[in-house]
Amino acid sequence: ITGSTPCVSEKGESFRTATTMLRTVVRTASRVAKRHAITGTRAMASSQLDGKGKKLVLAYSGGLDTSTQLRWLADQGYEVVAFTANLGQGGGMNDEDFSGIEEKALASGAVKAYVLDLQEDFVKNYVFPVIRSNAIYESRYLLGTSLARPCITKAQVDIAMKENCQYLAHGSTGKGNDQVRFELGTYGLANLECVVPWRIPEFYNKFQGRQDLLAYAKERGIPIAMDAGNRPPYSMDDNMFHISFESGVLEDPAATAPDSCHKYTVPLTQAKETHDDVQIFYENGDPVKVVNLGTGEEATTPASILKMLNILGGAHAIGRIDIVENRYVGIKSRGVYETPGGTILRQGHLDIEALTLDREVLRIRDGLSLKYAELCYNGYWFSPEMEFLQHSLDFTQKNVCGEVRLRLYRGNVLALGRSSPKSLYKQDLVSMDVEGGFDVALSEGFIRTNARRLQAYRHVNGSAN
């Protein structure tokens, strides 16, 4: 806007004119940016259709979705290396059988297939850090699916490096959190690109539902069991730490979950009528041994500890929740989760921490734990902020050691007792029968000093008394 300085009324008119022009520019720029974003996304998706001369690693479960994706990607020209992660699916109660999955992947179009046993790695390097950090998302979710994704991604990236692949692929949908977790993990670990069939229009337009996938599998000779008509009315995802139930009939948050949504835990009405007592030993915040005090059975490796507690906790209906949570992608979702062993380990860890951790350190730790859970849930496991938090939280655990005895009974984890060589609890100090070096005469000064700000607040607000 040029010209001589306008009068007051002209200034107002000029301001309105400039504002209108600015709004028009912003709206136009927004439309252009949106069009370019859509065009760019479509161009990226279209470029992924040509897989000739490209090699990728696909996270492969052997089910209908990933088997169909494997064949479809091979049809686009990709050399597909299939990767299946054994994370202890079944939780120790009914472990998944991975025999034959390599042959199925090769028959579906893979040039090579890997099935890796990651059970100890998963529990030691992903489950235990979450337990010793006391991480819990939105006060209820123990992050069972969230922490499995970085474990899978790291192994998948390692295979990509070994096989000279340029791409990674996964079967996650475009509405969920897992796509974010897999891809942020990939970009945080290596210079690789991601191919996501469920975000490629040619794929998701072709496969509108399960029947389309089944028809394609039959047409292309994919070795997959045809639909027997008895599929559960929801989706499931499991590992040794937990099992989740989502979608289908569970999409209505008011609907009661079917009784069939019990795999790792029994319904409360079917829980054992007699209790089980366990003793858990901790070192540096990690469980190192579990003893069933009733039978004398022991577990000392990370995976065996978790499986033993899964079996015991599941029989007592421990660790089951039905929640609505906030996904990172901006929508709410409903999920039913069963985490029996993890729930017991968390309760034991909280109890031994109460004995060994300084009050102020514990309060600061609690704040860091919230951020830790958020980063884990949102897919930032391989990030600088997560590395910082892990080091900080691990420092708080240097004296978290000792043993906790717990009673498992009808959905409850009850503390029976605890002890530690690093205990900050001094019995003489708290005893009502022994002075123990605590001078009660000093309490009055402590109270009056802390009351000063309360008296000042009362005075400022004009209290009559």
Side-chain angles (χ1 to χ4, degrees), residues 8 39 63 167 267 290 299 337 373 375 386 397 403:
V8 173
T39 303
Y167 300 89
V290 173
Y337 302 111
L375 292 175
M386 190 62 151
Q397 301 296 294
E403 59 82 31

Side-chain angles (χ1 to χ4, degrees), residues 91-108:
M93 285 79 74
N94 186 23
D95 289 342
E96 185 172 334
D97 182 6
F98 288 93
S99 63
I101 198 167
E102 292 182 48
E103 291 78 6
K104 182 186 289 188
L106 295 172
S108 299

Side-chain angles (χ1 to χ4, degrees), residues 177-216:
N177 291 314
D178 280 345
Q179 58 177 339
V180 181
R181 295 164 181 156
F182 278 122
E183 293 172 52
L184 288 180
T186 298
Y187 298 136
L189 290 170
N191 185 25
L192 297 166
E193 292 298 326
C194 294
V195 175
V196 187
W198 282 120
R199 294 207 303 260
I200 299 174
E202 287 77 5
F203 183 88
Y204 63 70
N205 288 328
K206 180 179 178 66
F207 301 108
Q208 296 289 311
R210 182 174 175 82
Q211 292 307 312
D212 292 335
L213 294 170
L214 287 168
Y216 182 77

